[in-house]
């Protein structure tokens, strides 16, 4: 991070630096990055607003999950050639403690899935939907940013759980994906459709669960269709991340009217329970039940552009940056 | 209701009308009112904004719980002279189905308690605190409108449950009541104190449960002191009830930062569970564990003035109107 972004980040807020790669110590592993991740939460890290995680300082490496190939290992758990995923940041090489890396089986699924459906965004979808949203069969589940990395999984999990699924995304291509690729029962283009009218059509029995990735006016429209007892899972508020002050669009009195619950969550609080979710997600990826789309940008030097595009909603699928070819 | 109030109600929005009292039919009871209740939720009924209950129309009787004396009964469950409580409105006499009245034992506690600690506000405090707020021993529980009819009970129940209790009220007299009568560990005068500084002092370990009766800027200050995993029970938003459009002061992204839950509730959803709460509240009232203060206005014709005063925070204790003497 070359400078702290003000509002929408600019490419000039980022810089690619050459530094010496250290030798791994005992218990450490040297990893060569293959793919780094591009996610909305990274915008939060770039802000100095008080939040759940430490802010980045100018000169820090951008926080990211990275999947890479082990080049050198001083820990018995990893050998050269192994594929590993960890919090390595936007870097070409990184030395990391072996204990904070997870081995990825390239025969199970494409290794990039460790950065989404079989990684953080899959876990976010799973625990946010099932633990926070608590859907019951027959519920109507509405998802904002439904074509995004988390939203595409949430809709599919809710469908598997016997729910009617309604996805909101920007633009006709993403809405095609919602219906055709991710199997949403209805898709709403918040840019092109009359949002309130489309929600009314798509949710004839009201909204029981709202999985909210965006906040702002899109969410205000969904709130107007809640059912009594509705659950609102606050996963993200990406419409607000570039605002100096978040736009207040929500009044808590609404929760009385609908006896509704709004709960924020962080996937990191569920780490100890990832083993509940992982085997099922892996099975459903392997047998084709869970589908996903990736939006891959080539070259680490293009990560800032991919990130800005993602914040503008330009990606179609999980935004990734390919750093290098596997050997 | 003589006219629909715009903003703060005026006495001219109300009228006292003389009407013929009907004879009770089979299964009905004629009740002579002794006390009617004055509550914030009544302001909501006077609005035509969409809400959880039907709005009053001009000419309707103001909704109220009323405690009265049975004058004539055509149901075996009630006899003349019995004390009964029910949804009779601001009226001197009312005919009601016996099944929707509850008998009050005047030997157990003063009959007015059927309108507060042993009635709707006591149940609101109980279920809002224990079911929605879910306090654990050692938690810090903050209550807004803490000297109000609900708040005074919430603080005492939270203290019994082993919590640190912090009450927010307007003015030094109410804050005296918080500390001396209701046993709050700390009292904050939102009119006189520096609210944010006082909250910091009063909540050295942060806020685990916020029982919110008011909304607006008072709540925004409390939100800034939440702990991870905090629960916010939305009981009322009285600071907003006279606003044309509620003042948006809350941003859902805050719930992510604190992995917090905000839940609205209505006491009417817990009716089937009142028997869980009633015996304990009654015992604690009888043995002096639970204390309360009443603010009684004389004369049904003065109910509008009492109501407006309550909305302005002028009452000290549960606002009631005495309509007549028991026979």
């Amino acid at each position: 991070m070359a400078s702290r972004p003000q509002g929408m980040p600019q490419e000039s807020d980022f810089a690619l630096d050459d530094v010496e790669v250290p030798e791994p110590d005992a218990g450490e592993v040297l990893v060569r990055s293959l793919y780094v991740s591009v996610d909305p939460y990274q915008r939060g890290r770039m802000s100095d607003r008080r939040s759940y995680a430490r802010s980045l300082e100018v000169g820090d490496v951008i926080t990211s999950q990275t999947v890479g190939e082990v080049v050198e290992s001083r820990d018995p758990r990893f050998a050269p050639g192994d594929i590993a995923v960890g919090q390595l940041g936007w870097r070409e090489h990184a030395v990391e403690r072996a204990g904070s890396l997870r081995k990825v089986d390239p025969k199970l699924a494409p290794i990039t899935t460790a950065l989404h459906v079989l990684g953080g965004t899959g876990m976010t979808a799973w625990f946010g939907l099932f633990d926070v949203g608590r859907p019951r069969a027959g519920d109507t589940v509405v998802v904002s940013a439904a074509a995004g990395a988390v939203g595409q999984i949430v809709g599919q999990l809710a469908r598997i759980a016997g729910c009617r699924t309604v996805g909101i995304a920007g633009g006709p291509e993403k809405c095609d994906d919602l219906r055709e690729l991710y199997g949403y029962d209805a898709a709403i283009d918040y840019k092109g459709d009359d949002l309130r009218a489309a929600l009314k059509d798509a949710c004839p029995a009201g909204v029981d669960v709202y999985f909210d990735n965006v906040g702002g006016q899109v969410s205000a429209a969904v709130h107007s269709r809640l059912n009594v007892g509705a659950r609102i899972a606050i996963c993200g508020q990406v419409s607000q991340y570039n605002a100096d002050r978040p736009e207040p669009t929500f009044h808590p009195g609404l929760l009385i009217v609908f006896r509704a619950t709004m709960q924020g969550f962080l996937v990191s609080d569920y780490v100890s329970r990832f083993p509940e979710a992982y085997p099922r997600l892996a099975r459903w990826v392997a047998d084709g039940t869970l589908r996903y789309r990736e939006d891959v940008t080539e070259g680490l030097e293009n990560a800032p552009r991919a990130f800005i595009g993602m914040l503008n909603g330009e990606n179609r699928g999980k935004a990734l940056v390919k750093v290098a070819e596997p050997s």
Side-chain angles (χ1 to χ4, degrees), chain A:
Chain A
M1 185 170 86
S3 55
R4 193 176 297 291
Q6 304 299 321
M8 178 58 75
Q10 308 297 314
E11 291 196 43
S12 58
D13 293 324
F14 302 86
L16 194 59
D17 263 9
D18 287 317
V19 297
E20 196 75 22
V21 178
E23 291 293 314
D25 272 338
E28 290 183 340
V29 175
L30 171 64
V31 179
R32 183 171 72 96
S33 301
L34 300 175
Y35 292 88
V36 300
S37 192
V38 172
D39 297 285
Y41 79 84
Q42 293 164 328
R43 180 64 185 86
R45 296 287 205 282
M46 297 172 196
S47 159
D48 54 5
R49 205 186 291 160
R50 180 187 173 195
S51 189
Y52 56 85
R54 196 182 64 81
S55 297
L56 292 174
E57 299 300 328
V58 169
D60 283 350
V61 173
I62 302 299
T63 310
S64 169
Q65 287 276 308
T66 299
V67 66
E69 191 175 75
V70 173
V71 175
E72 186 181 347
S73 173
R74 295 197 54 198
D75 187 278
R77 287 170 283 185
F78 288 92
D82 281 351
I83 303 297
V85 64
Q87 197 75 25
L88 305 179
W90 286 359
R91 291 194 286 192
E92 292 180 330
H93 289 84
V95 168
E96 183 64 66
R97 286 171 299 110
S100 62
L101 294 170
R102 182 168 62 82
K103 205 179 283 190
V104 173
D105 178 357
K107 292 187 293 294
L108 183 71
I111 62 171
T112 51
T113 59
L115 296 179
H116 50 92
V117 58
L118 299 183
T121 58
M123 297 298 158
T124 301
W126 182 282
F127 290 101
L129 179 67
F130 291 128
D131 271 63
V132 182
R134 303 189 302 279
R136 293 160 297 206
D139 277 355
T140 296
V141 176
V142 174
V143 183
S144 57
V150 172
Q152 62 182 245
I153 310 300
V154 171
Q156 296 180 82
L157 294 177
R159 186 196 65 217
I160 293 170
C163 298
R164 174 174 174 79
T165 56
V166 178
I168 305 173
E173 294 81 10
K174 288 181 183 176
C175 285
D176 287 348
D177 284 352
L178 293 185
R179 278 180 294 252
E180 290 157 29
L181 188 57
Y182 310 131
Y184 274 89
D185 292 303
I188 296 172
D189 175 5
Y190 74 87
K191 292 178 175 170
D193 295 339
D194 174 338
L195 183 55
R196 285 177 188 256
L199 276 164
K200 193 171 178 183
D201 286 348
C203 307
V207 176
D208 301 293
V209 176
Y210 176 38
F211 192 105
D212 186 9
N213 291 302
V214 304
Q217 298 297 340
V218 167
S219 292
V222 178
H223 295 157
S224 71
R225 311 273 342 142
L226 295 178
N227 282 333
V228 166
R231 285 82 65 202
I232 304 168
I234 306 290
C235 178
Q237 297 278 286
V238 71
S239 72
Q240 310 298 311
Y241 290 172
N242 290 314
D244 263 355
R245 298 175 67 88
E247 164 195 33
T249 54
F250 176 73
H251 182 259
L254 191 78
L255 298 179
I256 302 178
V257 175
F258 299 111
R259 290 81 108 190
T261 302
M262 180 180 268
Q263 183 176 349
F265 71 98
L266 283 180
V267 66
S268 51
D269 290 337
Y270 294 90
V271 168
S272 67
R273 291 178 53 200
F274 283 2
E276 292 176 27
Y278 186 84
R280 292 185 240 194
L281 291 172
R283 175 159 52 88
W284 288 331
V285 167
D287 71 12
T289 300
L290 273 183
R291 301 203 283 177
Y292 56 85
R293 186 190 285 281
E294 298 175 337
D295 189 318
V296 180
T297 298
E298 298 274 338
L300 185 59
E301 67 281 9
N302 294 318
R305 187 166 54 72
F307 177 66
I308 295 164
M310 184 269 306
L311 290 176
N312 279 323
E314 292 163 13
N315 57 307
R316 188 171 176 188
K318 173 67 180 94
L320 300 172
V321 173
K322 182 171 181 177
V323 179
E325 292 287 342
S327 62

